[in-house]
Amino acid sequence: MSNDVLTFLIIKDQGWWSGQCMNYDFCTQAKTLDGLVIEIQRQIDLYVHLATNDGKKPFEGMTQPPPAYNEYFNKSKLWMSFRYEPVPPMIAGKERG
């Protein structure tokens, strides 16, 4: 998997959609698949912004998901990939210059 592409295992259970990142150990949930796409993108944006503001690479220091997720992923018929790009650091909503 490329460093700037995150792949998510998508699971529907008890009326909720879940997305488990396969690159790093984080996940999110939503009631609808469309809502899950929004939540995944929001999580990615948050991690990228926080890392950039701290002078780190996105997802630096995060661990991979437990190995059991690889088994689920290999059997899964539904997954999504998201590309991300580092963003300029922000201070109080303004770019650092």
Side-chain angles (χ1 to χ4, degrees):
M1 289 180 234
S2 171
N3 287 343
D4 62 348
V5 175
L6 300 178
T7 301
F8 286 79
L9 168 65
I10 308 300
I11 301 167
K12 186 174 184 184
D13 186 39
Q14 298 181 3
W16 285 85
W17 288 92
S18 299
Q20 169 66 49
C21 182
M22 297 303 297
N23 308 72
Y24 306 102
D25 193 16
F26 72 94
C27 64
T28 191
Q29 286 185 311
K31 272 295 209 183
T32 66
L33 188 55
D34 288 341
L36 182 63
V37 170
I38 292 166
E39 288 302 317
I40 289 172
Q41 191 61 59
R42 189 165 28 189
Q43 286 266 334
I44 293 169
D45 291 347
L46 177 64
Y47 282 117
V48 171
H49 280 284
L50 290 174
T52 304
N53 282 336
D54 287 343
K56 298 179 181 177
K57 293 179 182 177
F59 310 103
E60 183 178 327
M62 291 185 72
T63 60
Q64 291 185 329
Y69 284 105
N70 286 323
E71 292 176 36
Y72 298 137
F73 183 79
N74 290 335
K75 295 176 184 176
S76 175
K77 295 179 181 173
L78 184 57
W79 56 273
M80 295 180 196
S81 291
F82 293 78
R83 182 173 299 279
Y84 72 89
E85 295 185 25
V87 295
M90 304 286 278
I91 298 178
K94 296 183 180 180
E95 285 190 37
R96 292 182 186 173

